[in-house]
């Protein structure tokens, strides 16, 4: 039996990058009997960015509704909120003592976020990967379904596990990343990663009109200036999204139409918007239904936290023993 852990920040609306890059795998792995799954809404990570405290409780409820609507079965996985299991922060402190400072300052996410929020380069931005390592190692997880943006952090988590094991004895397995077919979805600008905090997303619960408007403004093949210019579907953002959301015949028609200049970017965008609306409709409807019953969501999260706390206490018992802490 493999143990699986992954997390998502309540830092904005759940978007198609989160879904295609990570959560599709969460749903798939939770449904399989070979995996014991823990999925957490990582609010402790989210507070390293600028945020509004009064909006947080609702964001957590909505994100939980979105994850359930995406198909995550809470009876086959522990779905919980990170701050409700205090062992995450306790283990993070301990792991900080075996983490080289130099490695932390090399992380590209730290550099990017420091540039993005120069007025708030807090120490939590730097130590973020240690908390992520703690999230994973607390459950002694061996598989971590994440997008490409988390690979560097996961490599550091592996090194932290190695260093801890080397110093205090074999305690943690080295976790491996698990990717989907779409580990990096770009934002609507076609340049940066689609990311909640960059505001370049299509949310899973976005209404149809908003989807049409956003896709109309999406980036397309820069070399195709006029409709009569043949395009390059392989490097066109809109054609790329057809691969994931449109039926194969629609995708083939628009790729071919782009290549031969028989269909324009506007046609392709219109078709993509309708495909997305259709693809997302069941998730959107289900999430809106679930959001109308926040008490059920709270019950799900409470049950998940209980399961997570049990596993976390067990690991921390072992860790304290290894560290030689007074008992
Ligand atoms: N664009 C993406 N393509 C593929 N996978 C992605 N993930 C995130 N964006 C993409 C994966 O989704 C999981 C949750 O990550 P997150 O909560 O950090 O997502 P975010 O939208 O990137 O959120 P933020 O707040 O804007 O965070 P930063 O700025 O830290 O990226 C992860 O498995 C992630 O890999």
């Amino acid at each position: 039996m493999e143990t699986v852990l992954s997390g998502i920040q309540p830092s904005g609306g759940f978007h198609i990058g989160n879904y295609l890059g990570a959560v599709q795998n969460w749903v798939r792995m939770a449904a399989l009997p070979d995996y014991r799954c823990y999925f957490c809404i990582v609010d402790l990570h989210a507070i390293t960015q600028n945020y509004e405290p009064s909006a947080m409780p609702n964001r957590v409820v909505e994100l939980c509704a979105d994850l359930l609507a995406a198909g995550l079965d809470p009876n086959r996985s522990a779905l919980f909120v990170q701050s409700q299991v205090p062992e995450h922060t306790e283990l993070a402190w301990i792991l900080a003592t075996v983490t080289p400072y130099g490695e932390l300052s090399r992380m590209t996410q730290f550099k990017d976020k420091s540039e993005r929020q120069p007025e708030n380069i807090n120490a939590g931005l730097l130590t973020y990967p240690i908390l992520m390592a703690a999230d994973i190692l607390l459950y002694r997880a061996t598989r971590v379904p994440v997008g490409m943006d988390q690979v560097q952090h996961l490599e550091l988590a592996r090194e932290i596990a190695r260093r801890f094991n080397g110093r205090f004895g074999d305690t943690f397995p080295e976790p491996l990343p698990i990717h989907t077919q779409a580990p990096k979805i770009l934002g609507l600008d076609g340049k940066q990663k689609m990311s909640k905090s960059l505001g370049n997303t299509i949310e899973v619960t976005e209404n149809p009109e908003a989807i049409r408007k956003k896709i109309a403004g999406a980036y397309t093949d820069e070399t195709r200036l006029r409709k009569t210019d043949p395009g390059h579907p392989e490097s066109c953002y809109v054609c790329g999204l057809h691969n994931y959301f449109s039926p194969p015949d629609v995708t083939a028609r628009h790729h071919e139409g782009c290549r031969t200049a028989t269909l324009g970017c506007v046609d392709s965008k219109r078709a993509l918007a309708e495909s997305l609306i259709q693809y997302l409709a069941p998730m959107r409807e289900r999430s809106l239904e679930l959001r109308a019953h926040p008490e059920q969501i709270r019950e799900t999260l409470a049950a998940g936290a209980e399961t997570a706390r049990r596993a976390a206490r067990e690991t921390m018992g072992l860790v304290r023993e290894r560290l030689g802490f007074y008992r």
Side-chain angles (χ1 to χ4, degrees):
M1 169 81 79
E2 301 281 354
T3 300
V4 176
L5 177 292
S6 195
I8 183 163
Q9 303 187 75
S11 48
F14 177 58
H15 57 77
I16 58 173
N18 299 140
Y19 176 67
L20 292 178
V23 173
Q24 259 189 344
N25 262 344
W26 298 15
V27 173
R28 182 181 65 77
M29 294 170 100
L32 294 171
D34 345 14
Y35 297 113
R36 184 190 300 112
C37 296
Y38 297 90
F39 297 118
C40 57
I41 295 179
V42 290
D43 51 353
L44 295 167
H45 284 284
I47 63 172
T48 59
Q49 306 185 44
N50 299 324
Y51 81 106
E52 174 48 52
S54 62
M56 183 69 102
N58 206 32
R59 280 201 166 168
V60 168
V61 168
E62 289 184 358
L63 181 52
C64 182
D66 290 351
L67 293 171
L68 297 172
L72 195 63
D73 183 349
N75 297 314
R76 301 195 61 97
S77 55
L79 176 57
F80 64 100
V81 179
Q82 185 188 30
S83 63
Q84 299 213 313
V85 185
E87 285 83 355
H88 285 252
T89 40
E90 186 184 359
L91 183 58
W93 174 257
I94 292 165
L95 297 180
T97 66
V98 294
T99 306
Y101 168 78
E103 294 283 329
L104 289 176
S105 54
R106 267 196 288 280
M107 294 291 117
T108 52
Q109 184 177 286
F110 170 66
K111 291 184 201 156
D112 289 350
K113 286 197 177 167
S114 300
E115 267 175 34
R116 239 193 277 159
Q117 50 183 70
E119 77 303 338
N120 181 16
I121 308 178
N122 60 81
L125 278 184
L126 181 73
T127 56
Y128 183 112
I130 305 179
L131 181 58
M132 180 168 151
D135 299 339
I136 299 164
L137 301 181
L138 189 55
Y139 302 94
R140 283 179 278 172
T142 50
R143 300 285 182 273
V144 186
V146 283
M148 211 49 112
D149 58 318
Q150 294 304 325
V151 165
Q152 196 184 31
H153 288 166
L154 200 58
E155 194 43 58
L156 182 54
R158 290 165 60 80
E159 182 174 348
I160 292 173
R162 271 196 298 277
R163 283 176 177 252
F164 186 98
N165 292 345
R167 169 85 177 84
F168 301 107
D170 217 14
T171 309
F172 300 117
E174 287 183 35
L176 288 173
I178 302 287
H179 297 305
T180 64
Q181 304 286 342
K184 184 175 181 186
I185 298 294
L186 295 181
L188 290 161
D189 55 5
K191 302 235 164 8
Q192 287 177 288
K193 183 192 84 145
M194 184 174 283
S195 169
K196 298 183 215 88
S197 50
L198 287 174
N200 60 2
T201 67
I202 292 185
E203 295 177 19
V204 163
T205 53
E206 202 98 55
N207 72 56
E209 237 358 271
I211 293 180
R212 288 189 188 102
K213 214 166 148 194
K214 284 189 173 181
I215 293 294
Y219 169 84
T220 46
D221 179 3
E222 266 172 349
T223 61
R224 196 173 179 203
L225 299 176
R226 289 169 297 268
K227 190 177 170 181
T228 47
D229 295 337
H232 306 87
E234 54 296 335
S235 58
C236 168
Y237 177 70
V238 169
C239 285
L241 285 186
H242 271 294
N243 288 327
Y244 302 118
F245 297 106
S246 295
D249 59 319
V250 175
T251 302
R253 188 162 66 249
H254 283 280
H255 282 207
E256 186 56 18
C258 169
R259 206 174 286 117
T260 55
T262 48
L263 285 172
C265 296
V266 174
D267 305 313
S268 187
K269 285 177 173 180
R270 283 203 187 116
L272 173 64
E274 296 317 308
S275 297
L276 257 168
I277 291 165
Q278 255 192 33
Y279 187 101
L280 297 178
M283 274 195 260
R284 175 169 194 264
E285 278 162 31
R286 181 79 188 118
S287 182
L288 297 183
E289 273 167 31
L290 289 163
R291 288 175 189 197
H293 301 282
E295 64 296 342
Q296 284 173 18
I297 292 194
R298 269 191 277 278
E299 273 172 34
T300 299
L301 292 173
E306 196 43 53
T307 306
R309 274 195 291 265
R310 264 197 306 276
R313 273 188 220 121
E314 201 184 308
T315 304
M316 287 313 297
L318 180 64
V319 168
R320 287 194 200 103
E321 204 180 295
R322 294 272 202 267
L323 291 161
F325 280 179
Y326 175 78
R327 278 191 288 171

